[in-house]
Amino acid sequence: MEQTLTSGAYGSFMPDTHRRLIVDEIQVHQTLGRALRTLEAVWNQGVSSTLSSIAEAAELDRSTALRVLASLQAYGYVHRDPETKTYRTGYMAQRLGALPELNAVKCSLALPFLGDLAAITGATAFMATLEGTSVVYRAAVPALSANRGAQIALNVAYPAHSAAAGKVLLAGLLTDQVRTLYSASPLIRGGSRTITDRESLFRHLQMVRGRGYAVERDEAEDGRSAIAVPFVNSRGHSTTAIGVMLNQSVDIEQSGRELISVCRMIAGRIFQHVMG
């Protein structure tokens, strides 16, 4: 059977059947891209999300986002609450998360850079992630001087609202997400400067969001200070923080500008190493 040859963007002359295959492949890639962006939007928002917020985050119109969400729901990657009409990640997406494995990879890549951070600052360097209202330290390199660096227990959940790492990661969420997280969670006092009022915490996180780093002084416990900056991935989302911790109460706002600069520099190096 004779094939018709067509001139177009894919070559000087190409059989119609081959051209249709390429066009179909491009359409499949576009559909897959929309699905992945939508799933990432649901995942990053962390709590039940509206159709509008998902569509905006995935850069889709509402009707397209609704069709994509329906497909993801059918395969178990998204769950839709029939009462609130909101969405969250489904059981399949949670299975694919493989958080222990992902965290292990992050730590192995970051450890050399955390070593540099500890050596430059003379403080204990750490990497931490957010889990609900808790912050978990995944990796740490102790300070050269035991008198200066703080001891950090790894893979233990600490209250996020009283830790620099927790606050900088909470600040990366939407205010409504933070309000939902803390709707029934008490703000436990750890040190003399712990923020224990929800509205004060929300205002503080807004300030952290604006300046791009968080400090901690006598909050998790008296006599301990820390500073943390977010590690932002290629999509502009922050799920991990790095920083330094000291076993002394230091007014980092006054004397820690150099620490902030070094933390940001190391975060940039990690980004280049992981994403480059």
Side-chain angles (χ1 to χ4, degrees), residues 64-81:
T64 302
L66 184 60
R67 290 196 301 271
V68 173
L69 284 166
S71 297
L72 291 172
Q73 181 183 357
Y75 284 95
Y77 288 93
V78 163
H79 172 78
R80 183 174 183 266
D81 190 311

Side-chain angles (χ1 to χ4, degrees), residues 7-14 19 22-23 26:
S7 176
Y10 302 103
S12 299
F13 292 98
M14 180 176 293
R19 185 172 184 274
I22 292 175
V23 172
I26 291 173

